[in-house]
Amino acid sequence: MIKLVHFERTDFKKLIDWIDSPKFLLQWGGQTFCFPLDEQQLENYIKSANTYASQTLIYRVMHEENDEVIGHISLQIDRINKSARIGKVLIGEKSKRGQGIGQLMIEKVLNIAFEELKLHRVSLGVFSFNLSAIACYEKAGFVKEGLLREARKIENEFWSLWEMSILENEWFEKKELI
């Protein structure tokens, strides 16, 4: 249904169009980017990504039937500690939300992390109000490790952030059950 393909300059415009507010940018990009998102920020983002030795793998999510770009996801790798962090998760095409695509994205990136890269642990952060994302991550096998209370400030409000992770043995046990 979907495939992950390395994110490239030709994908910049679509991603910029999806990120339409400072709040949405914080949800998607954390503190890495500032609003409005622009090509120079994305140039810096991909500068040393997507090579064999890269610490960052960045993907566009494509619908297999028609090669439409519908989302984005990244994996920040710590090879010394055999771990990685999923970030920048987005189903940008609103008409594709609620169809299980987020689950497929997470499964595909975990497959890369655990089967291709042979990592031990994968983590992520998700804002506490993003209940659909939390449910998606839990369904994929992620466990809540702790709540960072009011960890991010946006305008005049603070957002709390759940830290979640999955270990390689949990991933492989879950795959056997499928």
Side-chain angles (χ1 to χ4, degrees):
M1 183 172 191
I2 66 163
K3 60 184 173 184
L4 303 183
V5 180
H6 285 157
F7 181 75
E8 299 173 343
R9 287 174 185 83
T10 55
D11 302 309
F12 285 6
K13 181 174 179 354
K14 186 171 280 279
L15 184 57
I16 289 168
D17 289 346
W18 287 335
I19 308 297
D20 59 1
S21 73
K23 286 185 175 184
F24 196 70
L25 179 70
L26 178 60
Q27 278 187 268
W28 171 75
Q31 297 173 312
T32 306
F33 300 100
C34 59
F35 190 81
L37 186 61
D38 60 34
E39 289 192 11
Q40 186 56 56
Q41 291 179 73
L42 293 175
E43 273 298 333
N44 293 337
Y45 175 50
I46 68 166
K47 186 170 34 183
S48 59
N50 296 338
T51 66
Y52 178 75
S54 292
Q55 293 181 339
T56 306
L57 299 175
I58 306 169
Y59 299 100
R60 65 181 178 260
V61 180
M62 298 182 69
H63 204 277
E64 283 185 320
E65 289 176 17
N66 59 11
D67 279 345
E68 176 188 11
V69 178
I70 59 172
H72 185 94
I73 193 165
S74 71
L75 193 64
Q76 186 75 32
I77 304 161
D78 174 352
R79 295 181 199 285
I80 293 169
N81 293 300
K82 293 188 69 178
S83 66
R85 186 165 182 87
I86 295 174
K88 318 290 186 279
V89 179
L90 172 65
I91 300 170
E93 290 299 324
K94 292 178 182 171
S95 65
K96 303 295 184 198
R97 294 179 186 166
Q99 299 178 18
I101 291 171
Q103 190 74 41
L104 294 172
M105 290 167 56
I106 297 301
E107 287 174 11
K108 286 193 180 287
V109 85
L110 288 175
N111 196 57
I112 292 166
F114 292 126
E115 297 198 21
E116 292 179 26
L117 299 173
K118 308 291 188 213
L119 299 179
H120 175 68
R121 180 180 190 275
V122 176
S123 67
L124 56 79
V126 58
F127 289 110
S128 60
F129 58 80
N130 195 343
L131 300 180
S132 61
I134 292 167
C136 171
Y137 302 144
E138 289 178 330
K139 188 174 179 182
F142 279 82
V143 175
K144 288 179 178 172
E145 293 184 326
L147 181 67
L148 303 176
R149 299 179 310 142
E150 298 186 1
R152 298 289 183 270
K153 183 176 186 296
I154 182 75
E155 297 170 354
N156 291 321
E157 59 185 308
F158 289 91
W159 292 352
S160 297
L161 182 76
W162 279 108
E163 280 294 319
M164 302 178 79
S165 74
I166 185 171
L167 302 176
E168 65 182 315
N169 63 309
E170 296 166 338
W171 166 250
F172 287 112
E173 285 172 17
K174 182 155 184 56
K175 278 190 73 169
E176 286 178 15
L177 297 175
I178 297 175

